Amino acid sequence: MPKSTRELPSKKPIIRLPSPVESFLRSESSSGVILIAAALVAFIWANSPWASSYFEMKHATTGVELGGFSLMKPLELWVNDLLMAIFFFLVGLEIKREVLIGELAGFQKAALPVSGALGGMLVPAGIYLAVNWNQPEFVNGWGVPMATDIAFAVGVLALIGKRVPLALKVFLLALAIVDDLGAVLVIALFYTAELDVGSLLLSFVFVGVAYMYGRRGGTSGFWYAMIGLISWYFMLKSGVHATISGVLMAMSVPIVQRMTPRELTKEIQSRMGGSTFEEVVVHIEDVEGIIKRSHSPLHNFEHGLHPYSAYFIMPVFALFNAGVALGGSGEGAMVSLATLGVFLGLLIGKPLGVTGLTWIAVKLGITKLPDGVSWFGILGVGFLAGIGFTMALFIANLAFGEGAALDQAKIGILSASVVAAIIGLVALNRAFGKPSSEHRAEPSAKTKTA
């Protein structure tokens, strides 16, 4: 007679905490949605019956006047010069962390994303120059298609879900950070009109003051902000774009932890225990305080500023810079060789450069592809790198200033970013296929036994 089978109790699933990289990618993907919404609002507003109010808002002048001191700017420039300096400060913190202890620490880890980033900067710039070589009014925009928008790119990547290997997500993240570093260097070296050496040196002096403050154990965000504001002002007066002061200030922030892992573990273990719920909660709060105090100033600033950057600064920047009025007339027509150069640079140059130089580096034995990552996956990430948006719009403002050429470049950025996102999404979806079914055929109710 068949014996009834006994069902074994199923094991409870183990809760796996997300890694720092996964947490960062998750926050970037959610901020990308808000960024898209802000860009759409700006674009629709600039082409609506209320378009005049949009441009009046951008050009409304405000500032600070105190005695003989005066600093007045249009709202758009306050956003692009001051708010974006905070964004670049955060970029600088991310670059420093990744280079010292993250995905860019050491030659083996850095070689793959650095190769991809270099290709993704050089090839788009080359394509743009090939299109606009004989166009003196447009040639200065070669830096525009070099940039990648990490929030948009990660947001699109998140649509694929968990099918994308974490190694490929890390590759995109590291590539975008190297790309940001390249953009910072391009801005500092090539988009500086006139240089006031005295003001530049004074800006450097205050960066040095911040560095010494950090070396002596200073951790106050207030004092870093005050010193950074003075450095920003002198950088603004020097002729170098003021956002560079944000990156330099980030380099002054210490990353050294106050406790070793062994000391931290010992301290946490000594605080654990308790026989009642309330006692356990109190001990957990103590442990949270210990962990918070053990973090480096760089860690605290990065995690403290990231929500403000992702959910306020970048959407505000998109609102002020993505509004392009279509239907220009005469010389203000919305399509030009600048549009074409930016479009082809981002859409063709990025995937070609990222994939091509990565392939060369692998073939030369300099680096290797991570496990589970295919060349088709690298190509898909190359297309996502063609989503320029925030950084591309920022460099376009520096390259062209106000006028038709800026609007034409913006059309190239926006259209290429949309098409690159769609192609990248399709390519990655194809590369990793549909999620495999985890459900097997249910066993029959009766089982035969000997």
Side-chain angles (χ1 to χ4, degrees):
M1 183 178 176
K3 297 179 182 178
S4 61
T5 56
R6 228 177 131 189
E7 292 185 2
L8 294 174
S10 59
K11 293 182 178 180
K12 293 182 179 180
I14 297 174
I15 299 174
R16 187 181 71 85
L17 297 177
S19 68
V21 170
E22 289 173 307
S23 299
F24 181 80
L25 288 168
R26 189 178 302 163
S27 63
E28 285 292 321
S29 63
S30 59
S31 69
V33 175
I34 300 175
L35 199 58
I36 292 170
L40 285 174
V41 168
F43 190 79
I44 293 170
W45 190 0
N47 290 279
S48 72
W50 304 278
S52 60
S53 64
Y54 173 77
F55 293 102
E56 287 171 4
M57 174 194 71
K58 288 178 61 173
H59 299 127
T61 301
T62 186
V64 178
E65 287 185 326
L66 186 62
F69 175 82
S70 176
L71 185 60
M72 307 295 292
K73 284 175 169 288
L75 271 178
E76 182 181 21
L77 291 184
W78 279 113
V79 171
N80 292 352
D81 289 349
L82 182 57
L83 282 186
M84 288 301 285
I86 301 172
F87 168 78
F88 273 83
F89 176 72
L90 183 60
V91 167
L93 294 176
E94 292 169 354
I95 291 171
K96 182 173 182 177
R97 171 177 52 79
E98 293 297 330
V99 169
L100 293 180
I101 61 172
E103 297 303 321
L104 300 175
F107 181 80
Q108 288 296 324
K109 294 176 72 174
L112 190 71
V114 168
S115 300
L118 286 176
M121 289 186 283
L122 297 175
V123 176
I127 289 176
Y128 182 92
L129 286 173
V131 173
N132 288 279
W133 189 254
N134 293 320
Q135 305 295 321
E137 69 273 31
F138 298 142
V139 73
N140 199 39
W142 57 269
V144 176
M146 295 175 67
T148 294
D149 190 299
I150 186 172
F152 266 144
V154 170
V156 174
L157 193 64
L159 296 176
I160 309 292
K162 295 182 179 179
R163 287 174 286 158
V164 179
L166 179 59
L168 191 62
K169 295 178 181 179
V170 171
F171 171 71
L172 173 60
L173 176 62
L175 182 149
I177 289 173
V178 177
D179 193 285
D180 284 344
L181 176 59
V184 168
L185 294 175
V186 166
I187 292 167
L189 298 176
F190 299 101
Y191 291 107
T192 298
E194 297 179 1
L195 186 63
D196 183 337
V197 177
S199 295
L200 183 63
L201 290 176
L202 282 173
S203 180
F204 289 162
V205 165
F206 282 96
V207 171
V209 170
Y211 174 78
M212 293 304 299
Y213 175 70
R215 290 279 292 178
R216 292 179 176 273
T219 60
S220 170
F222 172 80
W223 287 113
Y224 269 108
M226 291 299 100
I227 298 169
L229 192 60
I230 299 172
S231 175
W232 172 86
Y233 174 76
F234 285 114
M235 188 67 74
L236 179 71
K237 292 300 181 183
S238 74
V240 178
H241 199 272
T243 52
I244 300 300
S245 69
V247 180
L248 295 177
M249 282 295 297
M251 297 301 110
S252 73
V253 179
I255 196 173
V256 178
Q257 278 79 17
R258 298 179 180 85
M259 301 174 70
T260 66
R262 183 187 293 270
E263 291 171 339
L264 179 60
T265 302
K266 185 177 180 180
E267 186 71 18
I268 290 174
Q269 289 174 343
S270 69
R271 300 297 179 96
M272 295 305 293
S275 57
T276 66
F277 180 84
E278 288 76 13
E279 288 177 348
V280 172
V281 169
V282 169
H283 286 307
I284 290 174
E285 290 175 348
D286 288 343
V287 169
E288 288 174 347
I290 293 168
I291 294 173
K292 187 175 181 180
R293 289 192 299 273
S294 70
H295 285 153
S296 69
L298 186 144
H299 175 99
N300 290 333
F301 288 158
E302 186 178 359
H303 284 258
L305 285 174
H306 190 268
Y308 295 100
S309 174
Y311 302 116
F312 176 70
I313 293 175
M314 292 177 68
V316 168
F317 174 83
L319 181 66
F320 274 80
N321 288 275
V324 182
L326 299 177
S329 59
E331 294 184 357
M334 296 311 300
V335 176
S336 69
L337 288 178
T339 311
L340 182 63
V342 170
F343 183 85
L344 293 178
L346 286 171
L347 186 60
I348 305 299
K350 276 289 185 180
L352 186 63
V354 169
T355 308
L357 205 58
T358 301
W359 183 84
I360 291 172
V362 169
K363 290 300 178 182
L364 291 176
I366 297 173
T367 184
K368 63 178 182 178
L369 288 184
D371 293 337
V373 175
S374 65
W375 284 113
F376 207 75
I378 295 291
L379 179 63
V381 165
F383 276 107
L384 294 189
I387 304 174
F389 203 72
T390 305
M391 292 296 286
L393 288 173
F394 186 79
I395 295 176
N397 277 281
L398 301 180
F400 297 115
E402 292 290 333
L406 175 60
D407 287 341
Q408 291 157 6
K410 286 182 178 181
I411 289 296
I413 294 167
L414 297 176
S415 56
S417 296
V418 170
V419 178
I422 294 171
I423 296 177
L425 187 61
V426 171
L428 288 169
N429 198 52
R430 182 177 176 183
F432 299 104
K434 295 180 180 180
S436 58
S437 176
E438 295 180 3
H439 301 285
R440 296 180 179 178
E442 291 292 333
S444 59
K446 296 181 179 181
T447 59
K448 292 183 180 180
T449 58

